[in-house]
Amino acid sequence: MPLDALPILAELPQTQCTRCGYPDCQAYAQAIASGAAGINQCPPGGQAGIKRLSAVTGLPELPLNPGNGIESPRMVAFIDEDWCIGCTLCINACPTDAIVGSNKRMHTVIERYCTGCELCLPACPVDCIQLENSSGETTGWDAWSVELADQARSRYAAFQQRRDASIAALEPARARRAQEKLSDLASHSPVAAPAVLEHKRQVIAAALERARARQARTLD
């Protein structure tokens, strides 16, 4: 019988780091509830987090899976402002909106909102972001608090709303360009072979149909 994902989600530190193998804490909680994932895949929660998950699921406590990472202190990202080029890629990657700045302007991390998820590191093209220990020798869930987790969870929800709104705002223009291309595909394509053009036409038509379905769900 599947478990309830909500109590499981409440026991995760809400770093949204994806190290569990899922896109966010909620997806991981749902995977645990369905039996698709183990309770030992969250390095930020560490062994204390596994114990918490064991208590709410009734599943046996296990060692942290090394394939997902190691338990460590709580980390906070810092940006070397001398090297920052203001590309905004780290801002878009941060799941809790802990980075502020604008295009071609210096960025900075708001320390109290940073979960140490590390998602900004690969996004930075000039490697100007580094992580620093913010909890000393304290690791895992012991380096967190319910207040920090609740804050991260609410900020992630706000981030998702902003991202979805941005995508929704761009969707009509993208659909319009796709429709224009579909109406005169031959002039937009360097390939004239009828079979290739027909395949492209089917791909674009399917994409437009998906866009219309998403828009319909949004209006509902």
Side-chain angles (χ1 to χ4, degrees), residues 54-197:
S54 176
V56 298
T57 62
L59 297 171
E61 185 177 342
L62 300 168
L64 178 65
N65 185 344
N68 297 105
I70 61 173
E71 181 173 342
S72 64
R74 179 172 178 254
M75 308 298 285
V76 172
F78 286 92
I79 295 175
D80 186 334
E81 297 171 351
D82 292 332
W83 286 94
C84 177
I85 60 174
C87 68
T88 74
L89 293 176
C90 62
I91 292 176
N92 295 330
C94 179
T96 55
D97 281 334
I99 304 175
V100 294
S102 58
N103 190 39
K104 297 183 180 179
R105 295 290 186 272
M106 179 185 70
H107 303 342
T108 189
V109 177
I110 305 174
E111 182 177 348
R112 66 182 180 276
Y113 297 146
C114 177
T115 66
C117 70
E118 303 182 11
L119 296 179
C120 57
L121 298 184
C124 179
V126 293
D127 291 329
C128 71
I129 304 175
Q130 60 183 357
L131 295 175
E132 294 188 7
N133 185 336
S134 68
S135 66
E137 296 182 0
T138 308
T139 65
W141 240 114
D142 293 334
W144 285 81
S145 68
V146 173
E147 290 75 21
L148 284 173
D150 287 346
Q151 174 182 262
R153 184 176 178 177
S154 64
R155 291 188 66 84
Y156 180 58
F159 164 78
Q160 287 181 302
Q161 290 179 349
R162 177 176 61 79
R163 180 190 59 192
D164 292 347
S166 177
I167 293 173
L170 293 172
E171 191 102 301
R174 289 174 176 169
R176 186 166 56 252
R177 289 194 296 270
Q179 187 62 59
E180 291 171 355
K181 186 174 182 179
L182 184 62
S183 63
D184 190 12
L185 190 59
S187 66
H188 286 87
S189 176
V191 180
V196 175
L197 288 177

